[in-house]
Amino acid sequence: MDVGVSVGLKNENGSFKLFVMECGCYMKDLDITLNGGSSWFYQGFIDAFSNHIRSSMENAIMNKIVEGASKLDLFLGGLPKEIYVDRVATMNVTFINDPRFSSSSIEFDIDGLFIPSNKTAPRSDMHFGDTKLAPPLGSSSNMLWISLDEDVFNSVSALYFKAGLLQHMVDKVPDQFLLNTASWRFLIPRLYRKYPNKDMLLNISAISPPSVRINVGRIDTTMDLDVIVTVLGSDDIVPVACISLSVSVSGRASVSGNNLVGNVELNYFSFDLKWSDIGKLHTGIVPSPTRIVLKTVFVPYVNSYLGHGFPLPIIKGFVIRDAYILTSYSSIMFPSSNQ
């Protein structure tokens, strides 16, 4: 018996539509033999109608194939178009363009950008043109390859910035004496004279969305921050200076479960005094305490968020196994096996 089926798969309003193009079933021969009793009598009828029986069985098999394809089409049409992350961000996972096929794999694109959680995923107008299938790297046992463009990460940073979440009030540091005006009495005398022995706060806030850049072998992020130095008075809080920082960090990504997680390390920073009510700050004074705050407070704070990770666009019920990260120009990708 030979059975052949050809199916088509196309993008229809952000979902995949599966349909049967051709279906055939051919039985070269059908042999039915009855034994015992009056079998000799019924055997003649069976032999006479064998072609009809064979044709009915071929049609039944083809109908089952079409029925199975219809169920698969319903499953594909029911795949979610959004993956909820939190009250701010949701990943848009609508399909873009028609899938591309090779002799041993299928490749498809999803939008992948993050959108506000209170909005429905818009239909994307993005087109990737003649995108080539990724070359087979590593072991052939890797059943799944996922590639994420740096625009995905920049879209989520823009959302969190717009939501006002990229800010942090620092009231504790490993060397707590740094957050008291007494520690600065000889370096910034005017600060101590105006506010003797007062505790201080550092209000760190992003002034623009962090910019993520992915290159071969590395992931870099630049953040522009304002650090407002605030003195805690007896009855009020007094901002006394604002330092503008440009911070560069490098990061590493990994896969935990079905989430993409990461951590960063401080590369370098530059600073400029934006305004001050306590006189000028000498350039030799600012770098050391700033580096301490960035390395011991700011970077761990960022890593606490990155450690939770973001969900990857995986069909419910699938689990990523043995994934490793590869970085190329403007994107990261990782092969994995699935379960």
Side-chain angles (χ1 to χ4, degrees), residues 27 30 84 99 111 150 209 215 219 222 239 252-253 296 312:
M27 291 184 178
L30 177 65
Y84 179 84
D111 183 280
E150 63 187 24
N215 291 294
I219 304 172
T222 302
R252 294 186 299 271
T296 61
L312 293 167

Side-chain angles (χ1 to χ4, degrees), residues 54-111:
R54 182 173 59 190
S55 177
S56 296
M57 292 182 66
E58 290 172 344
N59 290 332
I61 291 172
M62 289 188 291
N63 289 337
K64 282 295 184 181
I65 292 174
V66 173
E67 180 183 335
S70 297
K71 291 180 179 179
L72 181 55
D73 176 54
L74 288 175
F75 171 77
L76 292 174
L79 291 176
K81 294 186 177 182
E82 300 175 352
I83 298 179
Y84 179 84
V85 178
D86 54 31
R87 62 182 180 85
V88 175
T90 292
M91 177 181 278
N92 178 2
V93 290
T94 55
F95 291 105
I96 303 170
N97 304 328
D98 292 333
R100 298 175 294 280
F101 300 90
S102 73
S103 59
S104 60
S105 65
I106 176 174
E107 180 179 1
F108 51 86
D109 302 313
I110 64 171
D111 183 280

Side-chain angles (χ1 to χ4, degrees), residues 4-270:
V5 59
S6 296
V7 298
L9 191 62
K10 66 178 182 179
N11 181 11
E12 193 172 274
N13 297 323
S15 298
F16 277 159
K17 177 70 176 177
L18 183 140
F19 53 94
V20 176
M21 301 172 64
E22 294 181 327
C23 182
C25 178
Y26 172 68
M27 291 184 178
K28 184 176 181 180
D29 193 19
L30 177 65
D31 183 22
I32 302 177
T33 302
L34 300 178
N35 295 311
S38 303
S39 59
W40 61 269
F41 177 76
Y42 296 107
Q43 188 69 52
F45 288 97
I46 290 175
D47 293 341
F49 289 99
S50 62
N51 288 337
H52 178 74
I53 296 172
R54 182 173 59 190
S55 177
S56 296
M57 292 182 66
E58 290 172 344
N59 290 332
I61 291 172
M62 289 188 291
N63 289 337
K64 282 295 184 181
I65 292 174
V66 173
E67 180 183 335
S70 297
K71 291 180 179 179
L72 181 55
D73 176 54
L74 288 175
F75 171 77
L76 292 174
L79 291 176
K81 294 186 177 182
E82 300 175 352
I83 298 179
Y84 179 84
V85 178
D86 54 31
R87 62 182 180 85
V88 175
T90 292
M91 177 181 278
N92 178 2
V93 290
T94 55
F95 291 105
I96 303 170
N97 304 328
D98 292 333
R100 298 175 294 280
F101 300 90
S102 73
S103 59
S104 60
S105 65
I106 176 174
E107 180 179 1
F108 51 86
D109 302 313
I110 64 171
D111 183 280
L113 299 182
F114 287 85
I115 59 175
S117 291
N118 59 353
K119 290 187 178 181
T120 303
R123 182 178 177 181
S124 176
D125 294 323
M126 295 174 63
H127 295 279
F128 291 95
D130 297 327
T131 304
K132 303 298 182 182
L133 290 167
L137 302 175
S139 171
S140 60
S141 64
N142 294 320
M143 298 179 62
L144 176 69
W145 285 77
I146 298 178
S147 177
L148 298 176
D149 191 86
E150 63 187 24
D151 287 344
V152 173
F153 304 101
N154 286 322
S155 69
V156 71
S157 72
L159 276 179
Y160 285 127
F161 172 76
K162 187 176 181 180
L165 297 181
L166 302 185
Q167 53 186 339
H168 182 51
M169 184 73 74
V170 178
D171 58 358
K172 293 185 184 298
V173 294
D175 186 357
Q176 192 64 25
F177 188 56
L178 286 173
L179 291 183
N180 189 283
T181 58
S183 67
W184 301 92
R185 62 186 303 176
F186 299 113
L187 298 175
I188 313 176
R190 188 172 173 182
L191 171 64
Y192 184 73
R193 286 198 302 268
K194 291 183 68 174
Y195 309 100
N197 200 32
K198 296 294 184 181
D199 290 329
M200 299 186 298
L201 299 175
L202 302 178
N203 186 1
I204 303 176
S205 59
I207 60 175
S208 62
S211 176
V212 179
R213 292 290 176 265
I214 301 175
N215 291 294
V216 178
R218 60 184 298 146
I219 304 172
D220 297 314
T221 302
T222 302
M223 294 172 281
D224 293 323
L225 310 171
D226 273 353
V227 180
I228 299 178
V229 182
T230 304
V231 175
L232 299 179
S234 301
D235 301 314
D236 56 358
I237 299 176
V238 184
V240 296
C242 179
I243 300 172
S244 179
L245 290 176
S246 181
V247 181
S248 172
V249 298
S250 60
R252 294 186 299 271
S254 60
V255 177
S256 176
N258 285 352
N259 284 1
L260 183 68
V261 300
N263 69 310
V264 298
E265 295 178 351
L266 180 66
N267 284 340
Y268 62 87
F269 66 92
S270 60

